[in-house]
Amino acid sequence: MLVFVIPLKSQQVAKSWKNVSQLFERCLRSICEQTDTNFRVVVVCHEKPEIKFNHPHVNYVEVDFPIPERNILQQRQDKGKKIIKGLMYARHFSPTHVMIVDADDCLSGRIAEFTNQHPNVNGWYLNKGYVYQEKSAFIYYRKSHFHSWCGTCNILKFDTCNLPSQDDEYPEDLVNLYIAHKKLPEFMIQKGLVIEELPFIGAVYIIGNGENIYQKGFSSIHNENKNKIFFLLKEALKFRPINSSIRKEFGVYQLS
């Protein structure tokens, strides 16, 4: 079984709780459209979001952590603690694998089926994926290093997760590990556990929605190397219309 763990920010630090709830509901609907129903979702939050969608495989874990200030450092620490809390709660389901999902991203409906077919693999990282800016008619194909951009990028065998022995322990080094998503594959290698590249596009990184901890927009993609015209032309070819096939597989729909 695969368990998805979603850390959700507090209403008290959201710019718009309605927006956070809508983004989360789309994320949750996307996850629950898996082709293999043998999965669970653990949502770790201060307050339950205001959504209309319910699913029997979704579990909410409410925490009473101190509310973080509206700065990146404290919000990242809050996110890391919620991830650890969710991973520890996942023990209830005896999962083979776990996947950490940002509360505003969307997933391929093939993730659970693929993972459950390979119970002995140490895990996978998402080297390629889509990037979608809210309300855009286009989607960007990131064909490499997607995991260095998006937090929804690692699937880990559960028994390789380095978790504290006590439910209420949140060691700083462990918190920092789980919020440094792009470093998780390196950490696994250091433990002698190589994780593989997921062989298909697994996620859509949602940007420019007003609630990202890091506010990245499509313009920043071009600005990474704005002095090289060839680079810009090559990157422009990676933008494609967001079609019905992509919307169906990843559950991407326009928010009201």
Side-chain angles (χ1 to χ4, degrees), residues 82-118:
K82 286 174 176 171
I83 289 171
I84 294 170
K85 186 73 171 181
L87 291 174
M88 291 190 290
Y89 188 87
R91 290 172 175 156
H92 290 82
F93 308 110
S94 301
T96 54
H97 291 84
V98 289
M99 183 176 189
I100 300 163
V101 180
D102 284 350
D104 53 0
D105 293 334
C106 293
L107 289 186
S108 167
R110 298 186 285 158
I111 293 280
E113 181 178 6
F114 177 82
T115 302
N116 292 340
Q117 289 174 347
H118 302 86

Side-chain angles (χ1 to χ4, degrees), residues 124-169:
W124 300 265
Y125 68 97
L126 278 61
N127 187 46
K128 54 190 176 183
Y130 288 125
V131 182
Y132 174 66
Q133 181 160 336
E134 205 63 59
K135 299 181 179 180
S136 175
F138 295 89
I139 200 162
Y140 173 80
Y141 173 46
R142 177 80 176 185
K143 69 177 184 179
S144 65
H145 297 91
F146 178 78
H147 60 293
S148 69
W149 279 20
C150 179
T152 306
C153 62
N154 294 300
I155 305 168
L156 301 176
K157 194 173 182 183
F158 187 69
D159 60 15
T160 67
C161 295
N162 187 22
L163 297 177
S165 56
Q166 301 296 323
D167 284 348
D168 294 324
E169 289 184 357

Side-chain angles (χ1 to χ4, degrees), residues 122 187-194:
N122 291 325
F187 175 78
M188 297 290 284
I189 290 174
Q190 291 172 4
K191 293 176 64 177
L193 302 169
V194 177

